């Protein structure tokens, strides 16, 4: 009895489906209105999860603002957790592209995740908008399907070095950062600009990404008048605690990850006085940013940082690109061209555009970490406008030099 | 006897036919890629099973060997060598590393063996992580292209699947022969009664050493498949969690059986890749499944299911079972 019923139901279901299909078929206008599928590769488990969760919150905030509609097309959002490891990133990218058939991918977070999938996305021609540093993705080995709405590793460090040399009048700096590409590239950029401005890097220290105790590394800091740290994730917190505990008082400068606004609630007094350079700042006084911050605080009860803002801007770029291509994303090459030509006036980080490598050109903010009303805040003290990944350098000359690395630029003796 | 034999042959034919036609009935490239992953991890698990199941030696450092073979392939390709040379060198490096593992760790069995292999695995992980000039550290090594032997391009998911399938079937056949061979029997002897085996004149250490080399070879094969599959290798692949994962495949499926590691690999890969898309806390689910297996089928899924099957069939046809059992 029950078996019969279920079979009848099944038949009815198929009939309805077939009927629907026949109705849908002769109207091509409906096909255009197929949902736009937006994938996100992020990290929701493990040590990088703090930034990864903010990434997803940033995207969702923008989707809600647009009522899940880009250029008249419904947006279907699919989030995947890579677990912060490259093999997982590859698997999840395959899931998004091959099973979900997404039209664009946001993320991943870390450079080593990005490097694991760069060849794959080129092969699949799927536009990817990522925060990950890996300089050469938009320089010497450009990927035509890649866009970086945040910053290259060194992009925030060039203005930081300029500020450290010219405004803070620092002369001798020790750099300390994680021993992987993002750290190498940040410190390389800092060294190049700082030394050109007359300063000198006296020592470069490279603790591994997972360092249980920074004491032996902090002990090597000396014979200098400033420190540049380039830590990522939750490492800046631990580094600064050890630094203060060792009684060191040299001023500290850092990039977007080392002084991220999302870290502020975890910092203590040891972080006071630190200068950071970031493509996003919480205190930017524009409508776009106020709307974004209010939405993040309302929905999640947190202050957004660089990760959330970066992904919000990425989603804005996708929406604007889709608008430009009249809602069409099937022709991948035309779509990526539309994405790269996007110029946005009102993002949480101000106006941005993309250079011909797909890397962002925008404002960078130098902030001073202070205490106001019992809360730690990053107060913007100087804004560098329209900074590209090449800083003030000539693009050709810049690209002819090797990519910033552990040994480039070389130490001057 | 005869009927079970033919039933088994029939089941094998069905299974091989299903695997060989998988790209036809499996909807979409994504699932074909998942199938490739299951097969390559099955090879890895079969390799570990030689030690865990047949030699009674539990290794927690096999991801190190897996990674060494993968790195060797990646590094050779980076140096500009062809695919054939790279694969051969990777196999050699994999087996040689296993030989070093074996010489150091076969000094003991049981917990001692686990701890020494664990330490060796961690050393290899540390090298991959910190020997940056060789391995690229955290940034890993990219393999830009999959090989195309005789113009058969492996960058196509289906072609890669078939290649993996052929390797997998070869490995299964070799395993079946190995298990039935005198060496396989001797190995099981050293697992159950090492002192008696010694008294009977068998060189227990040498038998175990050969088993280690065989296990290392299969692990290297799977490592090479892995690096061509992901086209990328980084230190995370060598981490302790990977070693534990493959050990869980063996234990969940049933150590000491031919089918067990394959079933275990299928279970872990499906939960890790497919189910994790639906459930955020998939680690928890995997854990729960293992707890269930340990409680309900302590000797693994395959032996457990076989026992259930026998129980069911015996109830239905007790007479037949009796006559069959009689001499």
């Amino acid at each position: 009895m029950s078996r019969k019923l279920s079979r009848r139901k099944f038949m009815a279901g198929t009939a309805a489906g077939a009927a629907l299909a026949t109705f849908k078929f002769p109207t091509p206008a409906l096909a255009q209105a197929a949902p736009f599928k937006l994938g996100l590769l992020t990290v929701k488990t493990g040590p990088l999860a703090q930034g990864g969760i903010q990434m997803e919150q940033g995207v969702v905030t923008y989707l809600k603002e647009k009522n899940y509609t880009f250029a008249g097309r419904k947006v279907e959002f699919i989030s995947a957790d890579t677990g912060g490891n490259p093999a997982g990133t590859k698997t999840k990218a395959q899931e998004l592209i091959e099973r979900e058939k997404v039209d664009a991918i946001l993320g991943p977070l870390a450079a080593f995740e990005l490097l694991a999938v760069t060849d794959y996305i080129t092969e699949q021609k799927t536009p990817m908008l990522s925060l990950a540093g890996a300089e050469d993705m938009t320089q010497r080995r450009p990927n035509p399907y890649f866009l970086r709405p945040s910053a290259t590793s060194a992009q925030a460090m060039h203005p930081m070095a300029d500020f450290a040399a010219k405004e803070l009048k620092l002369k001798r700096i020790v750099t300390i950062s994680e021993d992987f590409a993002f750290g190498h590239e940040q410190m390389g950029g800092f060294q190049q600009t700082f030394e050109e401005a007359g300063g000198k890097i006296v020592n470069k220290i490279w603790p591994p990404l997972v360092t249980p105790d920074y004491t032996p590394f902090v002990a090597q800091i000396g014979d200098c008048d400033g420190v540049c740290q380039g830590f990522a994730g939750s490492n800046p917190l631990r580094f600064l605690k050890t630094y203060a505990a060792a009684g060191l008082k040299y001023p500290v400068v850092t990039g977007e990850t080392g002084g991220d606004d999302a870290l502020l609630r975890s910092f203590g007094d040891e972080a006071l006085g630190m200068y950071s350079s970031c493509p996003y700042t919480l205190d930017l006084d524009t409508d776009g940013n106020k709307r974004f911050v209010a939405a993040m605080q309302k929905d999640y009860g947190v202050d957004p940082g660089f990760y959330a803002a970066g992904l919000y801007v990425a989603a804005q770029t996708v929406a604007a690109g889709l608008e430009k291509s009249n809602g069409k994303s099937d022709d991948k090459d035309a779509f990526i061209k539309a994405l790269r030509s996007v110029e946005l006036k009102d993002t949480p980080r101000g106006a941005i555009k993309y250079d011909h490598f797909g890397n962002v050109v925008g404002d960078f903010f130098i902030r001073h970490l202070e205490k106001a009303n019992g809360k730690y805040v990053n107060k913007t003290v100087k804004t560098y406008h329209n900074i590209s990944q090449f800083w003030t350098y000539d693009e050709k000359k810049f690209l002819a030099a090797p990519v910033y690395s552990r040994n480039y630029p070389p130490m001057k003796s | 006897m005869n009927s079970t034999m033919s039933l088994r042959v029939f089941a094998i034919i069905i299974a091989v036919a299903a695997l060989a036609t998988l790209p036809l009935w499996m909807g979409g490239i994504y699932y074909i890629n998942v199938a490739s992953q299951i097969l390559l991890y099955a090879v890895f698990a079969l390799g570990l099973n030689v030690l865990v199941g047949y030699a009674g030696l539990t290794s927690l450092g096999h991801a190190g060997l897996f990674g060494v073979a993968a790195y060797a392939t990646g590094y050779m390709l980076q140096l500009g060598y062809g695919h054939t040379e790279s694969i051969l060198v990777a196999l050699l490096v994999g087996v040689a590393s296993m030989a070093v593992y074996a010489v150091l760790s076969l000094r003991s069995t049981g917990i001692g063996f686990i701890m020494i292999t664990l330490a060796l695995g961690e050393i290899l992980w540390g090298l991959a992580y910190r020997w940056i000039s060789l391995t690229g550290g955290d940034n890993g090594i990219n393999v830009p292209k999959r090989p195309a032997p005789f113009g058969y391009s492996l960058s196509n998911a289906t072609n890669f699947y078939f290649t993996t399938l052929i390797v997998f079937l070869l490995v299964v056949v070799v395993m079946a022969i190995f298990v039935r061979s005198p060496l396989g029997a001797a190995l099981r002897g050293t697992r159950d009664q090492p002192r008696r085996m010694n008294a009977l004149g068998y060189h227990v250490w040498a038998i175990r050493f050969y088993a280690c080399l065989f296990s290392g070879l299969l692990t290297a094969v799977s490592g090479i498949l892995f690096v061509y599959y992901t086209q990328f290798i980084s230190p995370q692949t060598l981490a302790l969690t990977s070693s534990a994962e493959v050990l869980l495949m063996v234990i969940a499926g049933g150590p000491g059986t031919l089918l067990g590691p394959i079933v275990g690999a299928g279970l872990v890969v499906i939960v890790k890749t497919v189910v994790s898309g639906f459930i955020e806390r998939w680690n928890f689910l995997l854990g729960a499944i293992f707890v269930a297996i340990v409680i309900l089928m302590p000797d693994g899924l395959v032996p457990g299911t076989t026992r259930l099957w026998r129980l069911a069939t015996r109830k239905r046809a007790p007479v037949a079972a009796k006559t069959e059992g009689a001499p």
Side-chain angles (χ1 to χ4, degrees):
Chain A
M1 177 63 202
S2 67
R3 203 170 174 185
K4 234 178 190 170
L5 200 72
S6 70
R7 187 179 294 166
R8 192 176 299 155
K9 258 188 194 158
F10 171 67
M11 292 297 283
T14 357
L20 249 171
T22 41
F23 273 122
K24 260 190 177 172
F25 233 76
T27 49
L30 267 177
Q32 184 50 52
F36 180 84
K37 289 196 161 188
L38 185 63
L40 170 69
L41 288 174
T42 184
V43 184
K44 287 194 254 183
T45 47
L48 294 170
Q50 196 198 15
I53 288 167
Q54 278 234 336
M55 282 167 65
E56 182 169 324
Q57 292 171 345
V59 183
V60 173
T61 301
Y62 185 68
L63 288 174
K64 274 191 188 159
E65 194 182 310
K66 300 292 271 183
N67 202 14
Y68 285 85
T69 315
F70 289 177
R73 281 174 77 179
K74 203 87 194 127
V75 178
E76 212 173 287
F77 176 59
I78 304 132
S79 169
D81 177 13
T82 66
N85 90 59
T89 312
K90 177 79 190 272
T91 312
K92 288 298 169 184
Q94 282 175 330
E95 181 184 318
L96 290 179
I97 292 175
E98 290 161 12
R99 192 175 72 184
E100 309 291 350
K101 311 239 180 308
V102 295
D103 296 294
I105 294 184
L106 308 179
L109 189 159
F112 52 79
E113 293 182 293
L114 178 61
L115 292 170
V117 296
T118 164
D119 292 329
Y120 176 68
I121 62 159
T122 316
E123 198 183 292
Q124 300 288 332
K125 302 188 168 189
T126 303
M128 176 172 257
L129 295 88
S130 171
L131 295 185
E135 301 253 318
D136 267 355
M137 287 289 295
T138 55
Q139 291 173 9
R140 291 160 199 84
R141 286 187 347 196
N143 179 332
Y145 298 95
F146 182 72
L147 256 88
R148 180 156 33 211
S150 51
T152 63
S153 314
Q155 203 169 348
M157 276 305 182
H158 292 141
M160 190 70 248
D162 187 73
F163 185 83
K166 291 182 183 153
E167 316 256 339
L168 300 177
K169 311 274 183 224
L170 298 179
K171 291 272 172 265
R172 298 169 64 79
I173 280 188
V174 171
T175 71
I176 178 163
S177 182
E178 279 113 350
D179 199 353
F180 64 170
F182 178 65
H184 300 156
E185 292 173 358
Q186 279 195 95
M187 295 305 131
F190 186 87
Q191 182 181 356
Q192 176 140 323
T193 310
F194 188 65
E195 293 192 336
E196 276 169 4
K200 183 172 159 51
I201 301 296
V202 289
N203 194 5
K204 295 201 256 187
I205 304 168
W206 306 111
L209 177 59
V210 182
T211 301
D213 180 10
Y214 283 109
T215 311
F217 300 100
V218 167
Q220 299 171 42
I221 298 175
D223 183 29
C224 61
D225 57 11
V227 173
C228 177
Q229 61 106 340
F231 290 103
S234 53
N235 285 344
L237 304 171
R238 295 172 41 243
F239 166 73
L240 284 174
K241 286 219 164 69
T242 314
Y243 183 77
L248 296 177
K249 295 270 191 285
Y250 308 117
V252 179
V253 299
T254 185
E256 68 257 21
T257 55
D260 189 19
D261 288 310
L263 288 174
L264 286 177
R265 59 180 175 161
S266 315
F267 273 131
D269 279 347
E270 71 277 358
L272 284 176
M274 179 166 71
Y275 286 94
S276 58
S277 168
C278 189
Y280 169 74
T281 184
L282 192 60
D283 65 0
L284 182 66
D285 195 14
T286 65
D287 286 345
N289 189 37
K290 279 185 187 148
R291 208 167 53 230
F292 167 62
V293 174
M296 283 288 289
Q297 283 171 341
K298 179 167 156 272
D299 287 350
Y300 304 108
V302 294
D303 286 338
F306 155 76
Y307 294 103
L311 266 287
Y312 184 93
V313 176
Q316 271 186 311
T317 306
V318 172
L322 202 59
E323 204 77 58
K324 278 199 157 188
S325 68
N326 298 320
K328 290 197 187 73
S329 56
D330 294 336
D331 183 347
K332 300 278 172 80
D333 291 293
F335 184 43
I336 191 78
K337 223 174 147 190
L339 284 173
R340 284 193 169 187
S341 65
V342 164
E343 283 186 33
L344 295 168
K345 293 276 166 280
D346 190 27
T347 79
R349 55 180 287 191
I352 60 151
K353 60 179 193 231
Y354 293 92
D355 65 13
H356 62 278
F357 287 112
N359 195 66
V360 74
V361 178
D363 293 350
F364 282 76
F365 310 96
I366 308 286
R367 297 102 46 89
H368 186 232
L369 208 152
E370 299 173 358
K371 205 167 187 175
N373 306 326
K375 250 181 93 181
Y376 297 101
V377 289
N378 275 320
K379 188 163 170 291
T380 304
V381 290
K382 181 163 181 175
T383 305
Y384 285 82
H385 292 288
N386 283 325
I387 299 303
S388 85
Q389 57 179 336
F390 303 113
W391 181 229
T392 56
Y393 305 124
D394 177 57
E395 182 185 317
K396 282 217 181 73
K397 265 192 210 152
F398 187 91
L399 292 179
V403 66
Y404 293 134
S405 67
R406 211 171 192 270
N407 305 314
Y408 185 85
M411 295 277 286
K412 294 201 175 96
S413 49
Chain B
M1 183 65 198
N2 224 347
S3 74
T4 50
M5 194 72 165
S6 64
L7 190 71
R8 177 172 290 180
V9 171
F10 183 64
I12 290 173
I13 291 173
I14 293 279
V16 172
L19 284 173
T21 54
L22 183 130
L24 296 177
W25 50 268
M26 191 59 99
I29 299 172
Y30 172 70
Y31 292 101
I32 297 173
N33 275 329
V34 171
S36 303
Q37 280 192 67
I38 292 176
L39 293 183
L40 79 87
Y41 275 108
V43 173
F44 189 9
L46 283 168
L48 181 61
N49 189 32
V50 174
L51 292 187
V52 177
Y54 297 109
L57 300 164
T58 306
S59 160
L60 256 180
H62 256 56
L65 298 167
F66 181 76
V68 161
Y71 266 112
T73 316
Y75 190 66
M76 286 291 287
L77 289 172
Q78 208 174 39
L79 291 181
Y81 288 95
H83 291 287
T84 323
E85 292 98 319
S86 305
I87 290 171
L88 287 177
V89 168
L91 287 175
L92 263 179
V93 170
V95 175
S97 318
M98 184 71 228
V100 176
Y101 258 56
V103 168
L104 292 171
S105 52
L106 278 181
R107 303 163 71 89
S108 68
T109 54
I111 297 283
F113 188 85
I114 296 179
M115 293 317 288
I116 296 172
T117 49
L118 169 63
L120 291 169
E122 288 297 280
I123 288 172
L124 287 178
W125 171 80
L127 282 178
Y129 191 41
R130 298 299 292 157
W131 192 352
I132 290 162
S133 57
L134 184 74
T135 64
D138 258 322
N139 301 320
I141 294 179
N142 261 305
V143 176
K145 277 223 155 44
R146 286 181 185 168
F150 317 112
Y152 185 73
S153 168
L154 296 190
S155 45
N156 177 323
T158 316
N159 292 357
F160 190 83
Y161 169 77
F162 282 127
T163 312
T164 316
L165 180 63
I166 291 168
V167 174
F168 166 77
L169 290 176
L170 269 177
V171 167
V172 171
V173 169
V174 171
M175 267 306 283
I177 295 171
F178 171 79
V179 170
R180 276 150 220 240
S181 69
L183 180 62
L187 184 64
R188 268 167 294 163
T190 65
R191 172 189 68 191
D192 299 330
Q193 296 289 352
R195 292 178 69 186
R196 269 189 214 171
M197 286 299 283
N198 207 0
L200 284 170
Y202 285 94
H203 196 319
V204 173
W205 190 92
I207 291 170
R208 284 178 174 157
F209 183 73
Y210 296 141
C212 280
L213 291 188
F214 182 48
S215 167
L217 178 68
L218 296 189
T219 307
V221 167
S222 59
I224 294 164
L225 284 174
F226 172 83
V227 77
Y228 277 123
Y229 174 75
T230 55
Q231 296 179 266
F232 184 78
I233 171 79
S234 70
Q236 275 98 333
T237 311
L238 283 75
L240 175 59
T241 44
S242 314
S243 288
E245 213 169 77
V246 66
L247 187 58
L248 286 177
M249 288 177 193
V250 176
I251 293 173
T257 60
L258 189 56
L259 204 55
I262 304 170
V263 172
L267 174 75
V268 172
V269 173
I270 287 174
V271 171
K272 205 169 89 166
T273 58
V274 182
V275 179
S276 67
F278 304 104
I279 302 168
E280 208 166 290
R281 300 268 167 265
W282 59 271
N283 289 317
F284 174 80
L285 178 74
L286 197 58
I289 292 175
F290 281 123
V291 171
I293 289 173
V294 167
I295 293 174
L296 302 173
M297 299 177 172
D299 41 5
L301 276 176
V302 170
T305 320
T306 317
R307 199 174 334 110
L308 278 182
W309 172 256
R310 277 206 197 115
L311 221 66
T313 46
R314 196 185 301 153
K315 252 181 208 160
R316 220 185 286 162
V319 187
K322 219 175 191 178
T323 48
E324 204 175 275

